[in-house]
Amino acid sequence: MNSRSKGKRGELEFAKYIVEQFDGINIDGEPVTCRRGCQFRGGEDSPDVITNLPVHFEVKRTERLRLYDALDQAMRDGGDSAVVAHKANHKPWVAILPMNAFLNLFADRIGERKEE
């Protein structure tokens, strides 16, 4: 199987996973949606998957992830909302994001925090 078709399969698999995980949950009165994006150019306007979640996903379905290359690509295309969604064979999906973004997820619960 070539890498392009494996990438497409991974993006479709991830989109289905997101929809299943948020089944019955609405954002601004609309159900959570997720589908494969247009793959003809990189950038914020053409993510791997298109969702109404406030996240730009870079999807990687590979056994050996080049972590920082993937994260750099996600941040270049999605800015502060960038997350790498990664899955290896027979393993669960994982989310990879910069530590600062991860800590900001808890800002409302823990109050102000020192910025880097």
Side-chain angles (χ1 to χ4, degrees):
M1 174 181 297
N2 69 34
S3 61
R4 181 175 287 180
S5 62
K6 185 172 183 179
K8 177 181 177 179
R9 191 178 75 207
E11 291 161 2
L12 291 169
E13 180 183 347
F14 180 72
K16 180 181 177 188
Y17 173 81
I18 290 295
V19 169
E20 289 171 351
Q21 295 303 305
F22 287 94
D23 185 38
I25 297 173
N26 292 333
I27 295 177
D28 297 328
E30 297 292 324
V32 172
T33 60
C34 191
R35 65 178 173 82
R36 185 168 184 259
C38 297
Q39 300 304 306
F40 58 92
R41 64 182 186 275
E44 187 174 342
D45 58 343
S46 61
D48 285 348
V49 294
I50 297 170
T51 180
N52 57 347
L53 296 170
V55 177
H56 177 98
F57 287 110
E58 181 64 36
V59 179
K60 300 295 184 186
R61 183 71 166 82
T62 182
E63 290 302 299
R64 296 176 188 241
L65 179 67
R66 294 176 55 118
L67 176 65
Y68 287 101
D69 289 347
L71 192 55
D72 288 346
Q73 180 183 359
M75 292 173 63
R76 183 176 58 248
D77 293 349
D80 292 337
S81 67
V83 173
V84 176
H86 174 254
K87 184 177 187 324
N89 291 336
H90 312 293
K91 299 291 184 184
W93 283 102
V94 296
I96 302 161
L97 63 159
M99 183 57 73
N100 194 49
F102 174 79
L103 293 174
N104 284 338
L105 292 174
F106 298 98
D108 290 339
R109 290 186 179 173
I110 62 175
E112 295 295 316
R113 68 176 200 85
K114 182 179 175 183
E115 291 292 324
E116 293 181 11

